[in-house]
Amino acid sequence: MNDLEFSKPKKVRELFKKEVITRPTAGLARGYAQANLIILPEDLAFEFMLFAYRNPKPCPLLDVLETGNPEPVMSTPGADIRTDLPQYRIYENGELKEEVANIKDYWRDDLVSFLLGCSFTFEDALLKADIPIRHIEENRNVPMYITNIETEEAGRFSGPLVVSMRPLPSRLISKAVQISGEYEEVHGAPVHIGNPEEIGIDNINNPDFGEAVTVKENEIPVFWACGVTPQAVIMQSKLPFVITHSPGHMFITDIKNENLSSY
Amino acid sequence: MNDLEFSKPKKVRELFKKEVITRPTAGLARGYAQANLIILPEDLAFEFMLFAYRNPKPCPLLDVLETGNPEPVMSTPGADIRTDLPQYRIYENGELKEEVANIKDYWRDDLVSFLLGCSFTFEDALLKADIPIRHIEENRNVPMYITNIETEEAGRFSGPLVVSMRPLPSRLISKAVQISGEYEEVHGAPVHIGNPEEIGIDNINNPDFGEAVTVKENEIPVFWACGVTPQAVIMQSKLPFVITHSPGHMFITDIKNENLSSY
């Protein structure tokens, strides 16, 4: 299984397509951008795209697929969004209905698929710069928190910003801001540094999503806009029908991480 | 009239709203970004936004208004897109039906308004850097050409890229590229420098839109993606109903030009 870490994205996607394996995608096809997937009926597509446009930090668009087309022709030609992820979630009226290995039975000609950037990309760059990432060290899911910062609403989409947190020693924070800031298409620079209570986080050890990680003495919690935001907003809006990837089971694109940096 | 050059955008918009004056907006409310306006029914809004997303150089989005809302709440709160421009064009089935001073009689609850960046912004920056702009020197409209470069199509929107041309002496081209390149939200860096025939321009003295300008000996024609592209594409697509600004009669936003630079 370890060779998947250095496989090309297409090879990994083929294994998901054939349903040979089902597993989270963290660490697979290293060097290539992974994406959050959100699929909506066309009559919501403009409003969601407007929401993403107004909230680029939590909703960085990597690719938007033509109505009814399951192929990401711009970013990952040849792939099929209906089969090439390890696991999907089907939501109806804001409730999780089913978790499935492909969405062939759910596909419709009026569905529009959005691929949003994911923090794996900038974490890769942070690690290369010897900035430690606690949840990776502790082999946990990144801790995520619902904040008191409101997103810019658009049509039927509104709700609070969700952030992810990585604790850092003071001497490394500036470097982490600069490096992640170069990755505007994958959440960019942090939205808040220190003082969690100012953004409505009362207990750093009790995240709303993911798992708590150790914050060592003298470390400052650093908060980035999180790709869970649109999912939380979508769930809250109780839309009749939405498909997403299952948490951690991302779409692996053919986009190289370094192409998402403005370096 | 000359004091309008240094007026605040709101004051100039008020004069258009009251229909006290009707004139092209070049040179008015200096320092503030002017925008192309495109208004479409909601059922085309997603596809047009996708077209803009895929073609950011000719279609840089400055603001997108909520369906049915004539107020640009994000960029220019308080303004009314239906009255605050000097002149509008009404198109039906791809043909110009009427040119009007306001669109109150044409407004509908299903209309979506897009504001796209305009080259006035980077021209202002070029002039400040002592880079001469020929069509301003010669008091003409900028020359524009239909190229053989295809835009990335999206749904019903497809067609060739339209470029504007500014002739420059060789020693200033690099500077002009760097300065305009900082203005990604208003067309950014040139798309082509020299050799017009390579992009399908046979006669530089015969532009498809605007007016020809003098290209002096030893000057190189420099081509930028042009905001006329989406209009040309929309006209070509023979859409049932579209409203735009009249050429040169732009919407003056409250956005300062310098805020569109990544400096």
Side-chain angles (χ1 to χ4, degrees):
Chain A
M1 197 63 77
N2 265 347
D3 69 322
L4 293 183
E5 190 177 340
F6 303 103
S7 295
K8 292 279 178 200
K10 189 175 178 186
K11 187 181 165 192
V12 183
R13 290 195 305 264
E14 287 292 324
L15 294 173
F16 294 143
K17 185 197 289 282
K18 291 178 185 153
E19 299 177 15
V20 175
I21 54 168
T22 302
R23 51 158 287 181
T25 50
L28 301 187
R30 280 208 177 274
Y32 290 89
Q34 301 198 10
N36 298 283
L37 171 67
I38 285 168
I39 303 178
L40 297 162
E42 190 180 21
D43 65 347
L44 284 161
F46 166 65
E47 284 180 19
F48 182 68
M49 195 155 178
L50 185 56
F51 181 80
Y53 169 71
R54 290 181 177 174
N55 296 280
K57 282 209 148 195
C59 308
L61 292 174
L62 286 191
D63 200 357
V64 182
L65 281 61
E66 211 82 22
T67 307
N69 190 351
E71 182 189 356
V73 282
M74 309 297 286
S75 67
T76 317
D80 187 331
I81 216 75
R82 299 170 298 186
T83 55
D84 291 7
L85 284 78
Q87 203 166 267
Y88 303 80
R89 286 185 162 185
I90 314 292
Y91 286 90
E92 286 182 6
N93 304 310
E95 290 188 8
L96 177 62
K97 193 195 157 203
E98 211 183 339
E99 203 148 31
V100 291
N102 71 71
I103 55 166
K104 284 188 277 190
D105 290 345
Y106 288 95
W107 190 254
R108 310 185 325 211
D109 284 344
D110 71 332
L111 294 180
V112 178
S113 306
F114 294 85
L115 295 173
L116 307 181
C118 149
S119 56
F120 291 170
T121 297
F122 75 72
E123 287 183 348
D124 203 39
L126 293 177
L127 287 172
K128 275 183 189 155
D130 295 323
I131 294 171
I133 298 177
R134 185 63 34 78
H135 65 271
I136 295 180
E137 289 175 350
E138 298 186 338
N139 202 22
R140 297 188 193 155
N141 194 353
V142 66
M144 293 166 272
Y145 309 84
I146 297 171
T147 69
N148 60 13
I149 303 169
E150 279 298 303
T151 58
E152 293 288 350
E153 66 177 68
R156 283 159 279 185
F157 297 94
S158 66
L161 178 72
V162 178
V163 294
S164 61
M165 188 278 287
R166 292 160 190 80
L168 290 175
S170 296
R171 66 186 167 79
L172 290 178
I173 294 175
S174 191
K175 200 171 168 189
V177 170
Q178 289 177 298
I179 291 173
S180 59
E182 294 295 330
Y183 287 84
E184 278 195 15
E185 288 178 85
V186 283
H187 307 313
V191 292
H192 198 77
I193 297 169
N195 292 318
E197 60 285 354
E198 278 179 19
I199 55 171
I201 301 171
D202 296 326
N203 183 355
I204 202 82
N205 295 313
N206 186 23
D208 297 295
F209 310 97
E211 296 168 279
V213 297
T214 310
V215 182
K216 296 179 190 166
E217 208 179 348
N218 294 326
E219 282 186 337
I220 308 279
V222 180
F223 300 95
W224 276 265
C226 177
V228 166
T229 305
Q231 292 188 42
V233 161
I234 280 169
M235 295 318 120
Q236 181 177 305
S237 311
K238 298 200 194 311
L239 305 176
F241 182 66
V242 182
I243 301 173
T244 71
H245 65 286
S246 292
H249 296 65
M250 322 296 282
F251 177 67
I252 305 177
T253 74
D254 281 348
I255 304 169
K256 288 189 175 160
N257 280 335
E258 64 242 39
N259 290 342
L260 296 177
S261 148
S262 53
Y263 274 125
Chain B
M1 197 61 79
N2 265 347
D3 68 321
L4 292 183
E5 190 177 341
F6 302 103
S7 295
K8 292 279 178 201
K10 189 176 179 186
K11 186 180 164 192
V12 183
R13 290 195 306 263
E14 286 293 324
L15 294 173
F16 294 143
K17 186 197 287 284
K18 291 177 186 154
E19 298 178 15
V20 176
I21 54 167
T22 303
R23 50 158 288 180
T25 50
L28 302 187
R30 279 206 176 273
Y32 290 89
Q34 301 199 9
N36 298 284
L37 171 67
I38 285 168
I39 303 178
L40 296 163
E42 191 180 20
D43 65 347
L44 284 161
F46 166 65
E47 285 179 18
F48 182 68
M49 195 153 177
L50 185 56
F51 181 80
Y53 170 70
R54 290 182 177 173
N55 296 280
K57 281 210 148 193
C59 307
L61 292 175
L62 286 191
D63 199 357
V64 181
L65 281 61
E66 211 82 23
T67 307
N69 190 351
E71 181 189 356
V73 282
M74 309 297 285
S75 67
T76 316
D80 188 330
I81 216 74
R82 298 170 298 185
T83 55
D84 291 6
L85 284 78
Q87 203 166 266
Y88 302 80
R89 287 187 161 183
I90 314 292
Y91 286 89
E92 286 182 6
N93 304 311
E95 289 188 7
L96 177 62
K97 193 195 158 201
E98 214 182 339
E99 203 148 31
V100 291
N102 71 72
I103 54 166
K104 284 188 278 191
D105 290 345
Y106 288 95
W107 190 254
R108 308 184 329 208
D109 283 345
D110 70 331
L111 294 180
V112 178
S113 306
F114 294 86
L115 295 173
L116 306 181
C118 150
S119 55
F120 291 171
T121 298
F122 75 73
E123 287 183 349
D124 202 39
L126 293 178
L127 287 172
K128 275 183 188 154
D130 295 323
I131 295 172
I133 298 177
R134 186 63 34 77
H135 65 271
I136 295 179
E137 290 174 350
E138 298 186 339
N139 202 22
R140 296 189 193 154
N141 193 353
V142 66
M144 293 164 272
Y145 309 83
I146 296 171
T147 69
N148 60 14
I149 303 169
E150 280 297 305
T151 57
E152 293 288 350
E153 66 177 70
R156 283 159 280 186
F157 296 93
S158 66
L161 178 72
V162 178
V163 294
S164 61
M165 189 278 288
R166 292 161 190 80
L168 290 174
S170 295
R171 68 188 166 80
L172 290 178
I173 294 176
S174 190
K175 201 172 169 189
V177 170
Q178 289 178 299
I179 292 173
S180 59
E182 295 295 330
Y183 287 85
E184 278 195 14
E185 289 178 84
V186 282
H187 307 314
V191 291
H192 198 78
I193 297 170
N195 292 318
E197 61 285 353
E198 278 179 19
I199 54 170
I201 301 172
D202 295 326
N203 183 355
I204 203 82
N205 295 312
N206 186 24
D208 296 295
F209 309 98
E211 296 168 279
V213 297
T214 309
V215 181
K216 295 180 190 166
E217 207 179 348
N218 294 327
E219 282 185 339
I220 309 279
V222 180
F223 300 95
W224 276 266
C226 178
V228 165
T229 306
Q231 292 188 42
V233 161
I234 280 169
M235 296 318 121
Q236 180 177 305
S237 311
K238 298 197 195 315
L239 305 176
F241 182 66
V242 182
I243 301 173
T244 71
H245 65 287
S246 292
H249 297 65
M250 323 296 282
F251 176 67
I252 305 177
T253 73
D254 281 349
I255 304 168
K256 288 189 176 160
N257 281 333
E258 63 243 38
N259 289 343
L260 296 177
S261 147
S262 53
Y263 272 124

